[in-house]
């Protein structure tokens, strides 16, 4: 093969590679380059997208998200470098050269990391209360808030925006019962809320823990869930047994002394899996739970020995 042929082959491979790269739409950035920059013309349609210099944008003081995962921000920044900012942010105009974020602060922070000098945005008119409501509702619907952040966002909508649960359900597109369940999470002890917030405790577990009145017991059960990797069903069983034991102890506390002797003597053959109920008239029942035939045989042997002694 001649040098000329080699050169032609090289050009052909180069053209082929360029063609493949150019045909990959996933490597094309979202192009807002044809959009106007703010200030170039008077805004007529707030549903349109304009480009805003990043130094003219400030964060939202009403942002319901309290923390941003740095690793996730870095990943989003890399995505923006590759594809551009696919979803524009939403801002309100504060002054001639200042815009404040209504929603999209995570995208704004990632765009800063990506080195963008312009950000595509929708510009909306909003009062501070309206802005707060929009920011919270948008975050609840679109961001991956943890359960406690969702609950606190609902609480803010009630306290700061004077929304009822019915109105809030309409705003966020959720059932009122779902909102009420989230709000109940804020009644849990701080430790349980923390474990729920960082993701080592599920909402399902938390809902079951709400059925326990004592905060110390809620915290102890929370530790037990994490330590033993208990399922929600296993937790329910634990709490049911806890309630039964409390009830038995309460009932047992009113028994005459001789009844305790019966529980002690018989219970030792069944690992104390015995309960006794008695009403004020002296009527009642004894319940014995056994784990094997061996326990019954051991108890029967003790009865026989006592009979012949």
């Amino acid at each position: 093969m001649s040098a000329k042929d080699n050169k032609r082959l090289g050009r052909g491979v180069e053209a082929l590679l360029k063609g493949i790269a150019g045909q990959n739409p996933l490597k094309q950035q979202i192009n807002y380059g044809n959009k106007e920059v703010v200030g170039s013309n008077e805004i007529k349609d707030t549903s349109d997208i304009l480009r805003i210099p990043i130094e003219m944008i400030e964060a939202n003081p009403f942002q319901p998200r309290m923390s941003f995962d740095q690793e996730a921000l870095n990943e989003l920044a890399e995505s923006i470098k590759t594809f551009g900012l696919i979803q524009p942010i939403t801002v309100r105009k504060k002054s001639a050269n200042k815009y404040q974020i209504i929603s999209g602060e995570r995208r704004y922070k990632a765009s800063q990391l990506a080195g963008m000098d312009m950000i595509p945005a929708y510009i909306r008119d909003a009062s501070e209360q309206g802005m707060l409501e929009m920011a919270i509702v948008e975050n609840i619907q679109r961001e991956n808030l943890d359960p406690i952040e969702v609950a606190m966002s609902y609480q803010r909508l009630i306290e700061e925006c004077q929304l009822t649960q019915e109105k809030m359900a309409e705003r966020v597109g959720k059932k009122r019962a779902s909102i009420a369940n989230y709000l109940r999470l804020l009644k849990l002890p701080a430790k349980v809320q923390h474990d729920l917030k960082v993701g080592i405790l599920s909402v399902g577990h938390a809902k079951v823990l709400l059925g326990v009145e004592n905060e110390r017991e809620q915290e102890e059960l929370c530790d037990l869930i994490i330590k033993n990797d208990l399922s929600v069903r296993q937790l329910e069983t634990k709490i049911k047994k806890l309630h039964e034991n409390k009830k038995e102890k309460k009932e047992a506390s009113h028994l005459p002394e001789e009844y305790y002797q019966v529980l002690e003597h018989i219970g030792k053959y069944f690992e104390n899996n015995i309960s006794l109920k008695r009403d004020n008239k002296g009527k009642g029942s004894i319940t014995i739970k056994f784990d094997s035939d061996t326990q019954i045989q051991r108890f029967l042997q003790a009865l026989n020995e006592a009979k012949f002694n």
Side-chain angles (χ1 to χ4, degrees):
M1 184 179 291
S2 67
K4 187 176 181 179
D5 289 334
N6 275 328
K7 190 174 182 181
R8 284 176 180 170
L9 178 60
R11 285 177 180 172
V13 172
E14 183 181 355
L16 179 62
L17 290 174
K18 282 184 177 179
I20 291 173
Q23 290 173 4
N24 187 353
L26 294 180
K27 292 299 180 183
Q28 304 288 334
Q29 279 205 359
I30 299 296
N31 183 17
Y32 293 108
N34 61 333
K35 295 296 182 182
E36 292 184 7
V37 178
V38 293
S40 56
N41 285 299
E42 185 180 349
I43 300 170
K44 295 181 179 179
D45 184 0
T46 57
S47 66
D48 195 14
I49 301 167
L50 296 177
R51 291 184 296 147
I52 305 178
I54 200 163
E55 68 270 11
M56 293 172 63
I57 301 173
E58 66 178 27
N60 184 349
F62 302 107
Q63 167 59 247
R65 180 181 285 278
M66 293 169 287
S67 62
F68 293 86
D69 182 83
Q70 191 60 46
E71 184 177 350
L73 278 178
N74 291 337
E75 290 175 359
L76 181 56
E78 289 301 315
S79 174
I80 290 171
K81 288 179 184 178
T82 304
F83 307 120
L85 184 60
I86 296 173
Q87 183 182 357
I89 66 173
T90 304
V91 299
R92 70 164 181 154
K93 188 173 182 177
K94 286 195 70 181
S95 63
N97 297 309
K98 188 62 65 178
Y99 293 82
Q100 193 174 73
I101 296 171
I102 291 176
S103 62
E105 187 160 340
R106 180 171 172 269
R107 281 166 275 154
Y108 163 71
K109 289 180 178 293
S111 296
Q112 287 180 309
L113 289 174
M116 292 182 67
D117 57 353
M118 293 274 188
I119 293 185
Y122 297 102
I123 300 176
R124 297 186 62 173
D125 293 324
S127 65
E128 288 198 349
Q129 180 166 317
M131 179 179 147
L132 169 62
E133 184 178 326
M134 283 189 290
I136 293 174
V137 170
E138 195 269 351
N139 272 293
I140 291 171
Q141 291 176 333
R142 300 193 181 195
E143 300 287 351
N144 296 320
L145 297 177
D146 65 65
I148 295 301
E149 282 180 318
V150 172
M152 292 182 70
S153 296
Y154 287 150
Q155 189 67 29
R156 291 187 70 188
L157 284 172
I158 290 173
E159 293 178 353
E160 298 179 43
C161 298
Q162 290 81 50
L163 290 185
T164 62
Q165 288 191 19
E166 290 86 355
K167 289 290 184 184
M168 192 157 46
E170 292 175 11
R171 294 283 200 283
V172 300
K174 302 283 185 183
K175 292 182 179 179
R176 182 183 172 185
S178 174
I179 290 172
N181 283 333
Y182 270 104
L183 289 170
R184 290 176 66 220
L185 298 178
L186 299 179
K187 297 180 180 179
L188 290 166
K191 181 212 177 318
V192 180
Q193 288 190 38
H194 168 269
D195 291 345
L196 184 59
K197 184 174 177 57
V198 298
I200 57 178
L201 187 73
S202 75
V203 174
H205 288 107
K207 287 180 179 178
V208 176
L209 288 176
L210 284 165
V212 178
E213 295 180 1
N214 186 281
E215 287 194 0
R216 170 61 74 82
E217 289 178 359
Q218 287 176 329
E219 293 176 348
E220 290 175 351
L221 285 167
C222 181
D223 288 337
L224 196 64
I225 293 165
I226 297 165
K227 179 182 177 181
N228 297 332
D229 194 23
L230 298 180
S231 67
V232 172
R233 182 62 60 84
Q234 289 172 323
L235 175 61
E236 289 173 338
T237 302
K238 283 276 185 187
I239 292 176
K240 183 179 179 182
K241 189 171 182 180
L242 180 67
H243 287 163
E244 288 175 351
N245 290 341
K246 281 185 176 181
K247 186 178 179 181
E248 289 173 2
K249 287 180 180 179
K250 186 177 180 180
E251 291 172 347
S253 63
H254 301 292
L255 294 175
E257 182 61 32
E258 57 267 25
Y259 284 77
Y260 290 109
Q261 294 179 21
V262 172
L263 290 172
E264 181 181 353
H265 287 308
I266 300 177
K268 65 184 179 182
Y269 296 101
F270 300 97
E271 297 182 358
N272 291 320
N273 285 325
I274 179 174
S275 61
L276 190 152
K277 295 181 180 179
R278 171 187 177 275
D279 61 22
N280 294 331
K281 297 181 179 180
K283 293 183 179 181
S285 62
I286 296 176
T287 302
I288 299 173
K289 296 180 181 180
F290 56 91
D291 296 328
S292 65
D293 293 338
T294 303
Q295 288 184 332
I296 296 293
Q297 291 167 0
R298 191 185 304 125
F299 181 57
L300 181 60
Q301 181 181 353
L303 288 176
N304 289 331
E305 289 176 354
K307 184 170 64 176
F308 291 113
N309 286 339

